[in-house]
Amino acid sequence: MSDGVDTGRRLVVVSNRLPFNVSVENGRLRFHESAGGLVTGLAAYIESRKRARIPSKDHVWVGWPGSTVEGDLRDLLRTEALAQFQSYPVFLSEKEMEHFYLGFCNKTLWPLFHYFTTFTAYDENSWQQYKHVNQVFCETLSQLVRQDDLVWIHDYHLMLLPRLLKARMPELSIGFFLHIPFPSFEVFRLLPARWRREILEGVLGADLIGFHTYEYTHHFLQSVLRILGHEHHMGQIVTSEKVVKVETFPMGIDFSSFVDAVDHPDIQQEAKTLRDTFPQIKIILSVDRLDYSKGIPNRLRGFEIFLEKNARYHGKVVLLMVVVPSRIGVDQYDRMKRQIEELVGKINGRFGRIDWTPIVYQYRYVPFPSLVALYSVADICLVTPLRDGMNLVAKEYVATRKEGTGVLILSEMAGASKELGDALIVNPNNREEIAEAINEALGMGIEEQKKRNELMQRRLRRYNVMRWANDFVKDLMETRELQERMRAKLLSPAIKREMIERYTKSRRRVLFLDYDGTMALLVRHPSLARPDENTLGLLRALSADPKNVPVIISGRDRTTLQAWFGHLPIGLVAEHGLWRKRSGEKWRLSKFCSSEWKTRLLPILEDYADRLPGAAVEEKEYSIAWHYRSADPDQAFLVAAEMTDHLVNLTAKTDLQVLQGSKVIEIRNTGINKGATALDWLLRDHFDFVLAMGDDWTDEDLFRVLPDSAFSIRVGVVNTNARYNLATTHEVIDLLRDFVG
Ligand code: GDG
């Protein structure tokens, strides 16, 4: 599967830069090719769509054209960009671009996400400009995007855009892919609280979110949990509005374009010239954009140590170092360029001879054929970034080695190292390791080189850039289907009207209402969820109608329910059905249970709570709940699993069960559940209107036993036995308000 798959939808690719750069010379527009992994990869994918005969009108690219264009030239650029490149330009002034691109993108997000925390600037103006430019992208897109398009937004420049666009067009399918690393929570949290929230919420506006490696995906999910409080299940996050899928898609390259290029006569000629320039000399290649994340100085020092320790290779190796100009005018980059050039000079001065220069350095962009020629003659490719989202140069080098020879030395800090495990993997911070790897690579036998490359090539051939993009697009479509399935159960206005009509016509009604998470928001500590006057007023109004039997059906202890609701003429069910109380009557026990076991288990639960700051034990009459909503989620996960395991062993062959709830573990007697209690209620009366609402798994017991004619509603967009879903507790309250008029 290497050609594009026709989804029947137009694909709108959105990235900071378009696949071309425009400049204005003497009042005329000039177009230049633009480079970079993202543009090259996506361009190859779009070509593959054409090969699969997907009409070219079925894609469009939206982004900044590379310079400021004003006045009438804007109209001309719009026309030309569409005709020549199937693109729509987003116009930005120089000032906007400066604070946005050179500011927030490259002085805040880029260094922070690459773990250069000391280089990170926290400037409110730049943040405001970042927000503004994302808004400008949204405005441009709103003018051209159609409801049934697939919009695929790329990279760290546009992390707020998915949400902005979704707010405008809720039905639009939106994917987001991050090309750089997503840092661990401890690093991401360095951003001011407001920014980091908005960035996460911005990205979560997408339906599908992709990262290069499992680690980045994991880091993102962790930040979403810790900062926004959304848990995930197998990479699916349920927000109040929808399900969002978060997945790993390691970006590949256009494998065959490299393999094919090697045989091109011009490239062969260029490769021969290169070889002849360095007769009997092993060539080590290094190609990067000028950037501190690429670890170029460390690489040079590693090479220096290698020369220091291996005099036998003097005169027999050369390091061809291509540094591609980037972010010119930014101080840090200018400084680094000088540092690299000084180092090159120093090493060449130290080891060079009249007939041998150890490092041949070029600060320039090389055309594609020359790049392929370089890959094809290099005995070793040295790729040692300190951090890199993926690194396509490593993959391109391996792909180009048609004969199977050549050694890739690759940093473990590059995303590509997760796939290219047969390279010589090094820690780029350790220069000795780089030196040793060079030595090892030079001594590696041909058979071993071939064996290693063959394994890597097999993967790169199969999982190429077309496959990467197809997988993403396919997954985006599937995520939308999943959302639609879930949305089909959302209580629609029509069903709500039908429900109210049935309610009005009925003569005897029972309303089973869970409390926490259904009538009230879940809070950090259970004692903070005391009902306010509005909720109590609503229950009072419901109970004022003699046809109604409202029942609060909860896992809470009866003392709390009595204190909070005991003064109202409503039914109460405590401890998931163990205790029940009809309006005006006393509390009754549903089943005789023992509670002696509590004295044995309580100290154990207390011990586990001591180990987990934020955990708390709640002792009820016949059950114990161990809450951990306010604990650190990762630590809680481990402690809760260990404790559950311990308790399951202790309660084997007893009449007790250990149950996992929403941030709570409960131990109680078997045979007690909300379903059994509700049935008992239903059997003792003739209700012609039955409603049940709840938000967690304990309510599923209830939904399961209700008659077909009942209305059951699960709060939250999740799979359920209930007939319908409602997104939030606010909607529950609204529905109940509609009942009482
Ligand atoms: C991001 C992430 C991630 C480079 N120099 C020349 C040249 N190139 C081409 C290479 C390759 C591409 O540019 C560079 O790809 P990288 O992967 O190294 O990185 P970026 O584009 O900087 O950025 C990165 C990538 O996105 C994709 O997701 O891998 O981690 O930072 O294709 O061949 N091409 C030509 N001449 C050069 O001098 N022709």
Side-chain angles (χ1 to χ4, degrees):
M1 191 177 68
S2 61
D3 275 347
V5 170
D6 195 354
T7 55
R9 311 247 214 136
R10 184 173 70 155
L11 177 67
V12 181
V13 172
V14 191
S15 58
N16 177 45
R17 301 295 285 267
L18 284 173
F20 62 85
N21 280 319
V22 76
S23 60
V24 182
E25 288 169 28
N26 302 326
R28 297 181 58 154
L29 296 176
R30 289 184 69 88
F31 293 91
H32 319 267
E33 200 183 320
S34 93
L38 189 162
V39 163
T40 318
L42 282 169
Y45 170 62
I46 283 170
E47 271 308 307
S48 81
R49 285 167 65 94
K50 289 187 193 150
R51 280 201 299 277
R53 298 189 189 287
I54 299 172
S56 65
K57 291 257 174 335
D58 278 4
H59 82 265
V60 60
W61 201 312
V62 181
W64 185 59
S67 64
T68 306
V69 178
E70 304 283 2
D72 292 346
L73 282 178
R74 285 192 171 185
D75 288 336
L76 184 63
L77 177 58
R78 265 193 211 100
T79 318
E80 288 287 302
L82 193 58
Q84 285 191 46
F85 300 96
Q86 200 66 28
S87 297
Y88 272 84
V90 176
F91 294 109
L92 294 165
S93 70
E94 243 156 62
K95 189 172 152 276
E96 284 169 333
M97 210 52 200
E98 188 183 322
H99 285 288
F100 162 71
Y101 182 66
L102 296 178
F104 200 74
C105 291
N106 290 335
K107 289 199 184 129
T108 305
L109 292 177
W110 178 272
L112 189 74
F113 281 31
H114 286 87
Y115 293 77
F116 286 85
T117 52
T118 51
F119 291 2
T120 307
Y122 303 93
D123 174 44
E124 180 65 28
N125 271 344
S126 302
W127 164 245
Q128 290 304 334
Q129 205 55 241
Y130 183 75
K131 287 172 68 159
H132 167 70
V133 169
N134 272 258
Q135 190 68 50
V136 173
F137 268 79
C138 180
E139 300 300 332
T140 308
L141 281 163
S142 313
Q143 288 160 24
L144 67 101
V145 164
R146 302 186 297 244
Q147 204 74 266
D148 61 346
D149 285 339
L150 291 178
V151 177
W152 189 2
I153 300 169
H154 290 266
D155 230 0
Y156 64 104
H157 317 88
L158 300 172
M159 296 181 92
L160 305 178
L161 183 57
R163 183 172 190 223
L164 293 172
L165 200 55
K166 199 64 156 189
R168 287 274 178 97
M169 301 174 81
E171 297 306 314
L172 193 64
S173 296
I174 302 176
F176 176 83
F177 190 86
L178 187 71
H179 289 261
I180 64 173
F182 194 93
S184 77
F185 168 70
E186 285 302 331
V187 169
F188 184 68
R189 75 185 307 183
L190 295 174
L191 287 174
R194 196 162 36 89
W195 301 3
R196 65 191 185 209
R197 271 193 88 85
E198 281 187 47
I199 288 173
L200 293 178
E201 284 169 350
V203 174
L204 283 179
D207 303 297
L208 174 66
I209 300 164
F211 299 93
H212 280 308
T213 73
Y214 169 75
E215 275 85 351
Y216 310 156
T217 304
H218 174 69
H219 290 160
F220 176 75
L221 289 170
Q222 209 175 27
S223 284
V224 167
L225 173 64
R226 284 162 174 257
I227 294 167
L228 301 182
H230 298 308
E231 292 193 42
H232 77 100
H233 179 64
M234 311 272 282
Q236 287 179 12
I237 298 172
V238 180
T239 68
S240 60
E241 291 120 33
K242 62 180 194 302
V243 185
V244 181
K245 201 168 162 205
V246 186
E247 248 314 344
T248 305
F249 302 89
M251 184 174 175
I253 55 166
D254 184 4
F255 189 86
S256 53
S257 77
F258 287 89
V259 177
D260 297 346
V262 184
D263 293 331
H264 195 281
D266 293 350
I267 294 182
Q268 294 238 329
Q269 183 52 48
E270 192 166 348
K272 183 173 177 312
T273 312
L274 268 170
R275 268 264 150 252
D276 294 346
T277 313
F278 302 104
Q280 310 298 322
I281 289 185
K282 294 278 183 194
I283 298 175
I284 304 173
L285 177 68
S286 148
V287 182
D288 312 88
R289 212 166 37 72
L290 177 69
D291 198 287
Y292 46 80
S293 66
K294 300 290 182 183
I296 302 172
N298 259 16
R299 193 175 314 166
L300 285 167
R301 294 202 181 96
F303 185 61
E304 185 179 19
I305 296 173
F306 163 77
L307 293 177
E308 228 167 59
K309 292 193 172 167
N310 298 281
R312 68 182 188 286
Y313 280 115
H314 291 192
K316 300 200 175 95
V317 291
V318 63
L319 174 61
L320 290 188
M321 178 168 267
V322 178
V323 174
V324 182
S326 167
R327 299 176 196 173
I328 298 162
V330 178
D331 284 353
Q332 236 151 26
Y333 288 76
D334 295 344
R335 267 201 306 277
M336 206 178 64
K337 177 172 179 281
R338 281 198 298 279
Q339 187 197 2
I340 291 170
E341 287 169 1
E342 278 166 23
L343 261 173
V344 169
K346 183 183 140 220
I347 298 168
N348 279 345
R350 183 171 166 204
F351 297 100
R353 305 184 309 223
I354 296 293
D355 62 341
W356 175 58
T357 307
I359 304 168
V360 175
Y361 167 80
Q362 300 184 1
Y363 176 66
R364 66 173 182 123
Y365 173 81
V366 292
F368 178 75
S370 309
L371 183 68
V372 177
L374 280 167
Y375 287 148
S376 75
V377 299
D379 301 286
I380 295 170
C381 189
L382 193 52
V383 183
T384 58
L386 299 173
R387 284 284 163 181
D388 211 335
M390 172 53 77
N391 196 297
L392 300 177
V393 166
K395 293 187 167 182
E396 291 167 1
Y397 172 70
V398 173
T400 310
R401 307 302 301 179
K402 246 178 122 173
E403 307 299 326
T405 56
V407 183
L408 173 66
I409 299 175
L410 180 58
S411 158
E412 62 179 280
M413 305 298 172
S417 69
K418 302 286 173 285
E419 292 168 273
L420 305 179
D422 288 289
L424 291 183
I425 304 290
V426 294
N427 180 337
N429 296 300
N430 186 353
R431 298 155 194 175
E432 267 78 16
E433 230 176 277
I434 297 176
E436 277 162 30
I438 295 173
N439 191 28
E440 188 182 343
L442 287 167
M444 191 184 284
I446 296 290
E447 280 319 303
E448 183 172 353
Q449 294 179 20
K450 286 187 172 174
K451 203 169 74 199
R452 286 171 180 256
N453 287 332
E454 194 192 322
L455 291 169
M456 296 194 282
Q457 285 174 348
R458 200 179 303 159
R459 175 172 173 92
L460 295 177
R461 192 179 294 117
R462 280 178 59 77
Y463 205 88
N464 61 16
V465 69
M466 280 65 94
R467 172 81 187 275
W468 166 77
N470 275 334
D471 276 6
F472 188 92
V473 168
K474 212 170 92 222
D475 230 0
L476 177 56
M477 304 272 284
E478 281 170 10
T479 307
R480 294 292 287 168
E481 282 163 23
L482 173 75
Q483 288 170 344
E484 256 139 49
R485 275 202 304 281
M486 289 195 162
R487 221 171 23 181
K489 287 187 96 172
L490 274 184
L491 194 71
S492 66
I495 295 176
K496 193 168 165 182
R497 276 197 299 278
E498 182 201 323
M499 212 166 142
I500 292 170
E501 203 172 304
R502 286 253 316 266
Y503 175 90
T504 317
K505 286 187 183 153
S506 55
R507 291 186 305 274
R508 186 100 181 116
R509 316 166 185 130
V510 63
L511 315 171
F512 294 115
L513 306 171
D514 169 52
Y515 182 67
D516 295 274
T518 303
M519 305 261 313
L521 287 173
L522 292 172
V523 285
R524 284 172 77 81
H525 194 276
S527 62
L528 300 173
R530 172 181 279 279
D532 59 15
E533 225 2 85
N534 286 335
T535 312
L536 293 174
L538 183 58
L539 288 169
R540 211 173 281 123
L542 283 168
S543 61
D545 185 336
K547 294 177 184 166
N548 285 348
V549 179
V551 181
I552 293 285
I553 184 161
S554 166
R556 284 186 178 263
D557 64 88
R558 67 177 170 140
T559 319
T560 307
L561 291 189
Q562 181 63 34
W564 288 358
F565 305 105
H567 59 294
L568 298 176
I570 61 174
L572 296 175
V573 173
E575 295 195 40
H576 298 107
L578 183 65
W579 289 102
R580 67 182 90 160
K581 176 185 176 303
R582 287 163 193 278
S583 164
E585 292 181 11
K586 286 202 176 112
W587 284 97
R588 270 175 233 260
L589 203 54
S590 309
K591 176 187 168 191
F592 177 74
C593 295
S594 104
S595 62
E596 281 157 13
W597 56 270
K598 285 197 306 179
T599 42
R600 194 162 55 91
L601 294 191
L602 260 174
I604 298 173
L605 291 164
E606 297 282 7
D607 266 0
Y608 280 102
D610 291 342
R611 276 175 50 195
L612 181 69
V617 177
E618 182 192 3
E619 183 184 353
K620 306 181 199 178
E621 279 171 276
Y622 289 92
S623 58
I624 311 175
W626 192 81
H627 296 272
Y628 56 92
R629 185 165 299 279
S630 12
D632 174 286
D634 289 312
Q635 197 189 350
F637 177 80
L638 296 174
V639 178
E642 188 187 331
M643 187 183 84
T644 307
D645 195 45
H646 188 173
L647 292 174
V648 167
N649 276 324
L650 284 177
T651 56
K653 298 187 188 146
T654 67
D655 188 30
L656 294 175
Q657 51 184 342
V658 180
L659 296 159
Q660 172 75 57
S662 167
K663 303 279 189 192
V664 58
I665 290 169
E666 291 241 15
I667 302 114
R668 60 172 141 104
N669 291 85
T670 53
I672 304 291
N673 65 59
K674 290 186 179 180
T677 308
L679 266 187
D680 184 71
W681 223 290
L682 292 173
L683 291 173
R684 287 167 188 242
D685 212 327
H686 289 288
F687 296 108
D688 56 354
F689 182 92
V690 178
L691 168 73
M693 296 205 271
D695 76 309
D696 73 17
W697 60 273
T698 61
D699 302 299
E700 294 293 323
D701 292 331
L702 170 57
F703 302 145
R704 262 193 292 269
V705 302
L706 297 180
D708 290 346
S709 59
F711 290 100
S712 50
I713 300 174
R714 169 99 186 232
V715 183
V717 188
V718 284
N719 269 326
T720 175
N721 291 300
R723 276 171 73 186
Y724 305 107
N725 289 94
L726 270 181
T728 63
T729 55
H730 300 296
E731 290 172 51
V732 170
I733 300 293
D734 283 350
L735 177 68
L736 294 175
R737 284 220 178 95
D738 286 345
F739 285 156
V740 293

